[in-house]
Amino acid sequence: MPLGTGLASQVVVGEETTWATAATPDHAYEFDTEGVAYIKNILQGTGLHAGGQYNRTARRVVSTVTGSGDVQMEHAFNKMGFWWKKNLGAATTPSVVVTGAYKTVFTPAGLQGTGITYQKGVPETSDGTVIPLTFSGGKVGGWEFSVAMGAIATLKETLDFQTVSTATALVTPSYVAGNGVFNFSQAVLKVGGTATTTSGVTSISGGTQVQTVINTYTLTGGNPMKVDRYGLGNAGLKKEQLENDYRSLGLALAGEFYNRTEFYDVFKANTAQPVQLTFTGPFVTGTTPYSLDIILSSVFFDTADNSVGGPDVVPQSIGCTITDDATNNVIQVTTVNADSTI
């Protein structure tokens, strides 16, 4: 029986090997919220006409169109590589760790040439029919990875598209069976140490697990792009979005003021150091666990607020900027899971 509510909604995406040539959506994601919408740029003629008091119907036109919005989901063990590749740009071919477990490394690279096809299924209340809206020519303009005390890790994607079609049939989503999620209890945060890169892969030696109680980790990435590449002869459709400014990476940590040396002294000295967050989940197979590892090679602590607001434990919030040390990957995300393909 149909449902006619958000319980019947779906989000399924696919990778466009040629930008704006719609792909078959084949990656289904269990999501929390989404707000991708079709947007029209409406022009209204305003020429004066004797005695007229209202705009003319015949002079309303749609000049350009686009699509944009966010989708937020829990960070699952499997199939999240699609998003990390689109966030950063490059991914290694999944390599076998042991039979049934694969390692993939995601690093920054250019985003030109490929795109995202995004199909949302929206249930009608009238009869429960799920209506497909298929957006193509998509890019990731920004993203946010976050984990907080007692919570599941989440990933939010901010997307921009060329257009939408209502003619594409609704795909049947195929979800990964038993696809668990990473959570706060599985995470370990390390700071300091030395970053080195061999064969394009960065590692950290000598990092120290933080003693400070850190209860929130929020990493944000921005991929600035020119999204208004409209030209004559394109029927109001934009050309491919192109990166047109430096990418941004920001990290916000929140917790307690445990001691001065761990964060405050580093903030005051204005020295950069690596920050590494690692989640270790249950076993993929045998004794090989699911894992998600995020390395930030060169992190500056911009703020280290420890304002006393009352009798409770003194809080500390640390705002960070991630920069390029010209030697190591600025950011590197490594997954170990059951994905033999991205």
Side-chain angles (χ1 to χ4, degrees):
M1 295 292 290
L3 292 169
T5 68
L7 291 171
S9 62
Q10 62 183 61
V11 166
V12 190
V13 302
E15 181 174 23
E16 298 169 357
T17 54
T18 301
W19 180 82
T21 299
T24 300
D26 55 4
H27 286 58
Y29 290 95
E30 301 180 38
F31 67 100
D32 296 320
T33 61
E34 80 82 42
V36 174
Y38 178 65
I39 301 168
K40 303 181 296 183
N41 178 26
I42 298 168
L43 302 180
Q44 177 65 60
T46 57
L48 299 175
H49 46 290
Q53 294 174 292
Y54 298 93
N55 289 325
R56 296 282 201 189
T57 300
R59 297 200 172 197
R60 175 186 163 102
V61 297
V62 174
S63 176
T64 58
V65 300
T66 187
S68 65
D70 297 342
V71 59
Q72 180 167 309
M73 66 204 80
E74 297 166 342
H75 197 295
F77 296 152
N78 300 295
K79 292 302 179 186
M80 301 303 290
F82 176 94
W83 292 113
W84 285 117
K85 182 180 177 183
K86 294 303 180 184
N87 292 342
L88 301 183
T92 61
T93 300
S95 60
V96 176
V97 180
V98 296
T99 301
Y102 302 85
K103 177 181 178 179
T104 310
V105 181
F106 303 88
T107 52
L111 300 174
Q112 187 176 8
T114 64
I116 299 168
T117 295
Y118 177 102
Q119 186 182 86
K120 57 189 287 187
V122 184
E124 294 181 330
T125 58
S126 58
D127 60 5
T129 300
V130 179
I131 301 300
L133 302 175
T134 306
F135 294 80
S136 57
K139 298 279 189 180
V140 173
W143 53 269
E144 178 183 284
F145 174 85
S146 182
V147 65
M149 179 176 63
I152 291 170
T154 62
L155 183 64
K156 181 173 74 172
E157 302 288 336
T158 298
L159 306 170
D160 184 87
F161 296 92
Q162 183 192 57
T163 191
V164 67
S165 172
T166 57
T168 304
L170 183 72
V171 302
T172 300
S174 177
Y175 300 104
V176 177
N179 196 11
V181 292
F182 289 110
N183 72 84
F184 183 82
S185 70
Q186 298 166 331
V188 172
L189 181 66
K190 293 182 179 181
V191 298
T194 302
T196 57
T197 298
T198 303
S199 300
V201 177
T202 298
S203 59
I204 308 297
S205 62
T208 302
Q209 184 173 339
V210 297
Q211 298 302 302
T212 299
V213 173
I214 297 293
N215 51 41
T216 303
Y217 173 107
T218 303
L219 177 64
T220 56
N223 300 329
M225 295 183 189
K226 188 168 180 59
V227 298
D228 59 351
R229 298 184 63 224
Y230 298 99
L232 296 174
N234 292 333
L237 297 177
K238 70 175 72 176
K239 289 287 190 179
E240 182 178 1
Q241 311 93 325
L242 297 177
E243 293 186 74
N244 64 351
D245 204 347
Y246 290 113
R247 294 184 186 181
S248 62
L249 278 173
L251 176 64
L253 304 173
E256 299 175 359
F257 186 64
Y258 175 75
N259 64 22
R260 193 195 70 196
T261 57
E262 195 162 49
F263 287 103
Y264 193 85
D265 282 357
V266 180
F267 150 72
K268 189 172 183 295
N270 195 42
T271 55
Q273 62 179 349
V275 174
Q276 183 174 18
L277 180 71
T278 305
F279 292 82
T280 303
F283 297 135
V284 185
T285 183
T287 58
T288 301
Y290 289 101
S291 67
L292 170 67
D293 181 73
I294 302 174
I295 288 176
L296 307 171
S297 296
S298 179
V299 181
F300 286 96
F301 299 154
D302 294 336
T303 60
D305 182 71
N306 48 29
S307 301
V308 180
D312 203 351
V313 170
V314 177
Q316 180 170 227
S317 58
I318 301 134
C320 311
T321 297
I322 295 91
T323 56
D324 184 357
D325 66 7
T327 301
N328 303 291
N329 292 319
V330 178
I331 176 173
Q332 177 180 286
V333 177
T334 304
T335 60
V336 174
N337 53 30
D339 295 339
S340 60
T341 61
I342 300 171

